[in-house]
């Protein structure tokens, strides 16, 4: 079940990466690169820090799912763009799931709760940072005006806290993921935005 959820999250993240490629007028190769990096980048960074074989290289599905997302966007991107609200909801779910799972894996490898939470955030937003850098955009992590990294941080912190309290397994993972998901969805619907420094102008 956990691998299925992983692949769903990877697919949704890959869709957003491929759509970025369309907006940047990249060819199919560029779209594929952005899709792969968005979907797998955070997990790759996490596993390299943990000094373990990246999960993306242990299952063919992890590589093929972003390819499938790229093909879908390449041929039907106008239709995919029309269901963007649904994709954003699924993206929020993937964000919460990856934050919780990333934190849990870091704890399993002996990291402290604080460091595990940081690595959980890295898992959730790392792929998006790589995507934005490759596409020439300001990374969301550095310009979190729509509260993207903050929900990931909440989910990771809750996961670390629950683990420290002796709560493990899918109930803890689900609780942490749902909290992150709920904050992200609420931020989108209510247009909550992180504050700028006093006197700073809004980025265009």
């Amino acid at each position: 079940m956990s691998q299925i959820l992983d692949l769903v999250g990877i697919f949704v993240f890959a869709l957003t990466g491929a759509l970025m490629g369309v907006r940047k007028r990249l060819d199919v190769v560029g779209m594929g690169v952005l899709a792969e990096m968005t979907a797998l980048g955070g997990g790759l960074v996490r596993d390299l820090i943990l000094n373990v074989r990246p999960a993306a290289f242990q299952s063919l599905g992890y590589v093929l799912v972003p390819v499938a997302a790229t093909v879908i966007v390449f041929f039907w991107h106008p239709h995919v763009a029309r269901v963007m609200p649904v994709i954003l909801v699924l993206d929020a779910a993937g964000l919460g799931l990856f934050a919780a799972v990333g934190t849990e894996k870091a704890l399993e490898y002996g990291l402290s709760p604080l460091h595990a939470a940081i690595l959980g955030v890295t898992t959730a937003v790392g792929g998006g940072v790589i995507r934005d850098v490759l596409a020439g955009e300001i990374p969301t992590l550095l310009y979190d005006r729509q509260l993207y990294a903050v929900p990931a941080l909440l989910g990771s912190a809750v996961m670390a806290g629950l683990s420290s309290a002796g709560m493990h397994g899918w109930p803890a993972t689900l609780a942490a993921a749902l909290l992150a998901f709920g904050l992200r969805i609420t931020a989108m619907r209510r247009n909550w935005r992180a504050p700028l420094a006093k006197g700073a102008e809004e980025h265009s």
Side-chain angles (χ1 to χ4, degrees):
M1 184 63 178
S2 61
Q3 187 177 27
I4 293 175
L5 292 174
D6 247 1
L7 291 176
V8 171
I10 285 171
F11 179 74
V12 174
F13 280 7
L15 285 178
T16 66
L19 284 170
M20 173 72 81
V22 172
R23 289 198 296 273
K24 291 293 182 176
R25 300 183 63 81
L26 303 182
D27 61 21
V28 65
V29 176
M31 290 171 58
V33 169
L34 288 186
E36 293 281 354
M37 289 297 98
T38 306
L40 305 176
L44 287 172
V45 172
R46 175 202 64 209
D47 291 343
L48 289 173
I49 291 174
L50 293 175
N51 197 29
V52 299
R53 179 186 298 176
F57 293 106
Q58 298 184 50
S59 171
L60 194 59
Y62 283 86
V63 178
L64 293 182
V65 166
V67 173
T70 301
V71 171
I72 291 171
V73 173
F74 181 79
F75 286 105
W76 298 289
H77 64 85
H79 304 287
V80 176
R82 278 200 290 272
V83 296
M84 198 63 194
V86 176
I87 293 176
L88 288 175
V89 171
L90 294 174
D91 180 79
L95 179 79
L97 177 67
F98 279 23
V101 171
T103 304
E104 184 179 33
K105 185 169 184 178
L107 289 167
E108 290 174 356
Y109 279 85
L111 269 66
S112 70
L114 174 60
H115 292 105
I118 293 173
L119 207 50
V121 175
T122 301
T123 305
V125 306
V129 170
I130 296 173
R131 175 201 64 207
D132 293 341
V133 169
L134 291 176
E137 298 282 333
I138 297 177
T140 302
L141 184 65
L142 303 180
Y143 191 73
D144 198 21
R145 299 288 284 123
Q146 296 182 335
L147 296 191
Y148 195 80
V150 171
L153 180 59
L154 172 66
S156 297
V158 169
M159 186 70 222
L162 291 175
S163 180
S164 297
M167 297 179 63
H168 305 281
W170 70 264
T173 303
L174 182 62
L178 284 175
L179 281 172
F181 171 76
L183 177 57
R184 172 63 178 153
I185 291 296
T186 303
M188 287 194 299
R189 290 184 174 177
R190 299 195 176 186
N191 200 30
W192 287 350
R193 303 170 70 81
L196 293 171
K198 186 176 181 180
E201 296 182 359
E202 180 73 33
H203 177 71
S204 58

